Each structure stands twice: as C-alpha cells, then as structure tokens.
Amino acid sequence: MPRDDAFEFFSVHEGALFRRTVREAFAEHGLEVTLYAQHAADNTGRQFGLGNLAATCHHDDRGRRLWPQLIRRHISVLLRTLDGPSALDTMPAEQLLRRVYPRIVDSDLLDRGHFGYARPLTPGLCEVLALDLPDSVMLLNDESLEPLGGVHALRAQAVRNLRSLPVEGHEAVEQDDGQRFHVVMGDSFFTASRVLVLDELVQQVTGRPLGPDGALVAMPFRHQLVFHPIEDISVIASLGGIARYAAAGHEDAVGPVSPHLFWWRAGELVQLSELDEGTLTVTVGADFQDVLERLAEQAEGGREG
C-alpha cells in the first residue's frame, strides 16, 4: 500500500484524511490554514507542526474514528495557549519556579536567535528550559529568563525539580543473547531529560551507583529513557540491542528526541550509533574501545580463575 511521503506510518489515504481533518478543526476556530506535508500555516505566518499530532493519531488503538476528537482537542489547546495571556504574566513567580524543568531538544528545531542560552549536549541535541503548564509545555526563550532570575539560577532550580520527579514506570529487559537494559517510562514530558541526572536515576532504579565507566543510554522520545550500567562484558551484547531499540522507538514517536545510542560518562554524552538511509551502525572511539577491551580481559581472567 502506498505510504504518505511525510508520515510513513500513514497510508496515502490516511495522510489525506488526517490533513483534511486538521484543516476542518482550524476552520472551526475561524482560522483558514494552508496545509503542507508536515505543518500548517495561517495567513499571519504562524506555523503549526503536525508531527506529534500525526503520531498521536497513529498510536491511538481506537482507530481513525477517534481522529476528529483527538485533532480538535489538540488544536483547541494549541490555539488557547497561543492566543491567551502568557503564564509568565499571570502566574506568580514562586509557582513558575516550581514548574521549570530542563528539556532536551533537537538543536535544528531551535531558532538560536531566541535561544542563545541553549546548552549543547552533543551534536544534534541541546538543553533548554521549559515550563510544565497544565495544558502545554512552554519553552523559555532568552527574553523570558531575566524576570525569573537569569539562566544560571533558573537552571539550578530546573535540575532540582527534575531530581524530584517520580519514576512512573520501569522495565528491566533481558534477552537470551546476553543484552540487558532498563527502560524508564512516564507521562512527564521531561522523562528523557533525566539523562541529565542519570547517576541519581540509576541509583534510584537499580539500588546501585553507576561505576566510573558510566552507562549506555538512549532517549528515543520525550517519555522514555533507556540505560545500561557499564559493569561487565554484557555491555557488548547490549550495544546493538539498545541502538536498535532507540532507532525503532524514535521512528514514529510522539515527541521524538534522538534515534541514537550514547555513552554517558561523568555527565558527558558521546554518540555511538548512526542512521544512514535506514541502515544502523554502531561505531566506538578509542576511549570506549579501551573500556570494552578491559572488560573483556576481566571476563577472560574470571573464566580462567
């Protein structure tokens, strides 16, 4: 069956139905929009990305009959957020500070003219600050930071808030080929951002501290974080498993973050996987190769002993 050019999880028919319903939902709010492959635009130049909404419809098990309801609700919340007063003007400062979190986003999606403070994490990913509001998540631009205390104080508060998030869901995955990894899941939009406090999260989930070699980690989409503490030779089997898990989870997710596998050590991220036209490869540098060789030698020594 022919697939939609922009959203491959849709057939051509489903893509046309989705966009037609989106246009109708905007029209119900008095807005005439032009539909493009991955976004809609109104006559004032505002653009509305459709990727997350399309993924939400695709993942809803109730089928296409619920799409109009999902789309109308999404667009209603979106327009209410855009057209209403800003939370920065209406919410007390102490309440705003309780709602600020760090968020990991694709660097290409940011206008660096308005997010000059964004902190690079690894090529393709950076950290910004966001407000977790009742109906939406609001990214804070440069102009928003000063009234709240500036970027350094605000980031410190955001990280404290991140540390206080509960672990909503956890699954330990073990395969017959020896790969092992943990999946942390949650409704919070900042679940993937917990990679910023990974050492504390691992201690919380496993009851054991991370060792000096760190962990394999992946953030396929905003509601999921995958990790494997690097302790023994099982890391070799887990490399490919987590890389495939991340690539598959990112492909049609709501709120995609990264399809890649990373090595986390002392708060630094090193990308280990690549996706090129659907082909997944894992490549390790000299530092990580040293870790693998040392763990292999330890395993061999243990068998001989």
Side-chain angles (χ1 to χ4, degrees):
M1 179 182 298
R3 311 310 297 173
D4 185 85
D5 288 340
F7 306 122
E8 292 187 357
F9 45 75
F10 284 159
S11 67
V12 170
H13 171 72
E14 288 172 331
L17 173 63
F18 169 76
R19 293 181 182 86
R20 183 168 66 250
T21 309
V22 166
R23 181 183 287 111
E24 292 169 353
F26 273 110
E28 290 173 4
H29 290 271
L31 276 182
E32 182 176 345
V33 296
T34 301
L35 268 296
Y36 298 91
Q38 299 188 51
H39 72 277
D42 67 12
N43 59 6
T44 70
R46 292 188 301 182
Q47 295 189 2
F48 310 93
L50 300 177
N52 287 343
L53 178 57
T56 297
C57 291
H58 169 66
H59 284 294
D60 196 298
D61 294 335
R62 295 171 295 180
R64 286 178 288 180
R65 64 186 179 84
L66 265 294
W67 286 11
Q69 177 181 326
L70 294 173
I71 292 169
R72 288 189 178 96
R73 183 170 62 210
H74 176 92
I75 290 173
S76 177
V77 170
L78 174 66
L79 294 177
R80 187 165 66 246
T81 301
L82 291 175
D83 296 337
S86 170
L88 295 171
D89 298 325
T90 61
M91 193 173 287
E94 61 272 16
Q95 191 171 350
L96 290 172
L97 291 176
R98 290 197 297 270
R99 292 178 173 273
V100 66
Y101 291 89
R103 185 166 181 187
I104 297 176
V105 298
D106 185 330
S107 304
D108 292 338
L109 300 180
L110 287 182
D111 179 353
R112 297 309 292 261
H114 295 287
F115 290 88
Y117 77 92
R119 188 171 75 97
L121 296 175
T122 190
L125 293 178
C126 63
E127 174 199 328
V128 295
L129 299 175
L131 289 176
D132 188 15
L133 302 172
D135 290 330
S136 63
V137 169
M138 175 184 178
L139 298 186
L140 296 174
N141 59 25
D142 295 325
E143 185 180 353
S144 307
L145 300 182
E146 198 57 40
L148 294 173
V151 63
H152 298 296
L154 199 56
R155 183 180 187 274
Q157 178 63 47
V159 172
R160 285 194 291 271
N161 293 341
L162 186 67
R163 289 191 178 107
S164 69
L165 285 176
V167 175
E168 299 178 62
H170 166 243
E171 180 182 358
V173 177
E174 294 193 24
Q175 303 288 353
D176 293 339
D177 61 2
Q179 61 178 283
R180 304 196 305 267
F181 54 89
H182 297 265
V183 183
V184 174
M185 303 153 283
D187 291 334
S188 169
F189 277 46
F190 307 100
T191 303
S193 299
R194 299 181 77 155
V195 72
L196 300 171
V197 290
L198 185 68
D199 47 356
E200 298 176 28
L201 179 65
V202 170
Q203 175 82 53
Q204 185 179 0
V205 168
T206 69
R208 300 174 59 184
L210 267 182
D213 293 324
L216 301 177
V217 69
M219 304 84 70
F221 57 102
R222 66 192 180 203
H223 301 292
Q224 190 177 84
L225 176 66
V226 185
F227 68 84
H228 169 92
I230 300 175
E231 300 170 332
D232 54 39
I233 201 62
S234 66
V235 65
I236 293 179
S238 301
L239 277 167
I242 298 177
R244 290 188 294 272
Y245 190 94
H250 176 271
E251 186 174 3
D252 59 358
V254 178
V257 177
S258 173
H260 299 305
L261 167 71
F262 298 91
W263 176 27
W264 184 102
R265 184 171 64 165
E268 300 293 326
L269 288 171
V270 176
Q271 184 176 319
L272 299 179
S273 69
E274 289 285 353
L275 268 174
D276 184 12
E277 296 183 354
T279 300
L280 175 67
T281 58
V282 175
T283 305
V284 302
D287 288 345
F288 195 74
Q289 184 64 38
D290 288 344
V291 172
L292 296 181
E293 291 176 358
R294 172 165 44 81
L295 293 174
E297 289 172 3
Q298 290 173 0
E300 185 64 28
R303 283 192 291 270
E304 292 175 356

